[in-house]
Amino acid sequence: MKIKQSGSTIVFKAVIYVLLTIMAIVCVFPFLIIVSGSFTDNYTILTQGYGILPKNFTVSAYKTIFKAPQDILQAYKMNFYYTIVGTGIGLFIITMTAYVISRPEFKYRNNVSFIIYFTSIFGGGMIPWYLMYTSVLGLKGSTFAIWFPALMSPFLVILMRTFIKESVPDAIAESAKIDGAGHVTIFLKIVMPVLGPGLATIGLFLAIGYWNDWYRSSMFSTSSKTWELQFYLYDLLNTTQALKQMAQNTSVSTADLPTESIKLAMAVVATGPVLLFYPFVQKYFVSGITVGAVKG
């Protein structure tokens, strides 16, 4: 039986829907401008600015980016490699760590939790971090140095621990122990089946972090074969800017150099796979990120 809604409820819902629609448009609007600008002639952007629809449609920016397709395909391949390997191993380590510090029978769980949290406030700094991976571990030039440092973060460990504690009551784990189950059985058969939203949330954080990273390539890569996609695009942009500067110094027209439109095209190329992937994990992300927000 359908419950009749009051007039105030209908008005409230209408206002909420209108506000959400406006907010959605505000969020989508910048990306539409980016896509439109990437297909707009560079001189038009410089003289007329940006617009929702392309002006003087051209694909010159994308031709510049894909001028050497083998290079950008290599960057894409390495980006997928870092993202898949780092996200997979990171999920495993974060989940195992969170499970251990969530167990009340682990005597030192508070001490370990404090150490993990402490590292989110204080750190040694960039120079010791760089020296550890290059001089101590000798990983400069290795792909290991690019995906390994981002495997864990204190925030993700604490988030996963909270999700486990909220999803798996201690009484259930204790009952399983009485029946003879060990920690491996409890983790694989009781904890893991209910971790879908948590795994999707943590996985999304890790994947986006790996996909958008360029800094570690600039620090540790010694060959363009190991560059991440973002760093490859960054290097391409710097090359284009250098060509523009050289042309200006020699009094050559720079109107045909797609310096502005190429920036927008790079944003489209870099964010495209993320936009395609996000809808599949959105429902898990929403439920996972709100873990612990409501106490029953």
Side-chain angles (χ1 to χ4, degrees):
M1 180 177 178
K2 187 175 181 180
I3 301 176
K4 184 177 180 180
Q5 298 180 346
S6 63
S8 59
T9 301
I10 296 175
V11 173
F12 176 78
K13 287 187 175 181
V15 173
I16 291 298
Y17 290 151
V18 172
L19 290 177
L20 289 177
T21 302
I22 294 175
M23 291 177 62
I25 294 174
V26 170
C27 292
V28 174
F29 190 74
F31 188 74
L32 292 178
I33 293 179
I34 290 175
V35 175
S36 172
S38 67
F39 290 104
T40 300
D41 178 68
N42 190 73
Y43 181 77
T44 303
I45 294 178
L46 294 175
T47 56
Q48 302 181 24
Y50 303 99
I52 298 180
L53 297 177
K55 303 174 184 178
N56 295 329
F57 184 89
T58 180
V59 292
S60 58
Y62 292 95
K63 287 182 178 179
T64 302
I65 294 177
F66 291 97
K67 189 173 183 179
Q70 67 279 3
D71 293 336
I72 194 169
L73 289 178
Q74 175 68 18
Y76 257 116
K77 183 179 74 173
M78 297 309 300
N79 228 43
F80 277 111
Y81 167 73
Y82 297 136
T83 302
I84 294 173
V85 172
T87 301
I89 299 178
L91 273 177
F92 175 76
I93 295 177
I94 289 173
T95 306
M96 292 292 290
T97 304
Y99 172 75
V100 171
I101 63 177
S102 70
R103 303 309 308 147
E105 61 268 26
F106 179 46
K107 182 178 179 181
Y108 302 104
R109 66 183 185 279
N110 291 331
N111 296 331
V112 174
S113 299
F114 173 76
I115 293 174
I116 293 174
Y117 176 71
F118 183 84
T119 59
S120 67
I121 303 175
F122 301 99
M126 183 184 69
I127 295 177
W129 175 76
Y130 177 79
L131 291 176
M132 182 185 70
Y133 283 102
T134 56
S135 300
V136 178
L137 300 179
L139 297 177
K140 188 175 180 63
S142 170
T143 59
F144 191 83
I146 297 178
W147 60 262
F148 180 77
L151 285 181
M152 293 181 65
S153 75
F155 169 72
L156 297 183
V157 173
I158 294 172
L159 182 63
M160 180 59 79
R161 183 197 64 177
T162 304
F163 188 87
I164 293 176
K165 290 182 69 67
E166 292 290 330
S167 303
V168 184
D170 293 338
I172 296 179
E174 291 298 328
S175 299
K177 288 179 64 177
I178 293 175
D179 292 336
H183 284 294
V184 175
T185 303
I186 294 173
F187 179 75
L188 294 178
K189 295 187 176 181
I190 297 178
V191 177
M192 287 298 293
V194 299
L195 287 187
L199 292 173
T201 303
I202 303 301
L204 184 63
F205 277 124
L206 286 172
I208 291 178
Y210 276 108
W211 186 266
N212 290 333
D213 181 70
W214 64 273
Y215 185 69
R216 289 188 294 274
S217 285
S218 67
M219 296 285 286
F220 301 115
S221 290
T222 57
S223 171
S224 60
K225 298 295 183 181
T226 62
W227 282 359
E228 296 166 294
L229 176 64
Q230 303 288 352
F231 186 70
Y232 171 80
L233 296 177
Y234 171 77
D235 180 76
L236 181 63
L237 179 61
N238 285 342
T239 302
T240 305
Q241 295 284 14
L243 290 175
K244 180 180 179 180
Q245 186 64 39
M246 292 174 60
Q248 290 176 343
N249 293 337
T250 55
S251 301
V252 177
S253 175
T254 60
D256 295 332
L257 290 175
T259 53
E260 296 300 322
S261 58
I262 199 173
K263 297 177 184 178
L264 306 179
M266 287 178 179
V268 175
V269 170
T271 59
V274 177
L275 293 177
L276 294 176
F277 172 75
Y278 181 76
F280 296 100
V281 298
Q282 180 182 11
K283 61 178 181 179
Y284 299 107
F285 177 77
V286 172
S287 60
I289 199 63
T290 56
V291 168
V294 179
K295 299 292 184 181

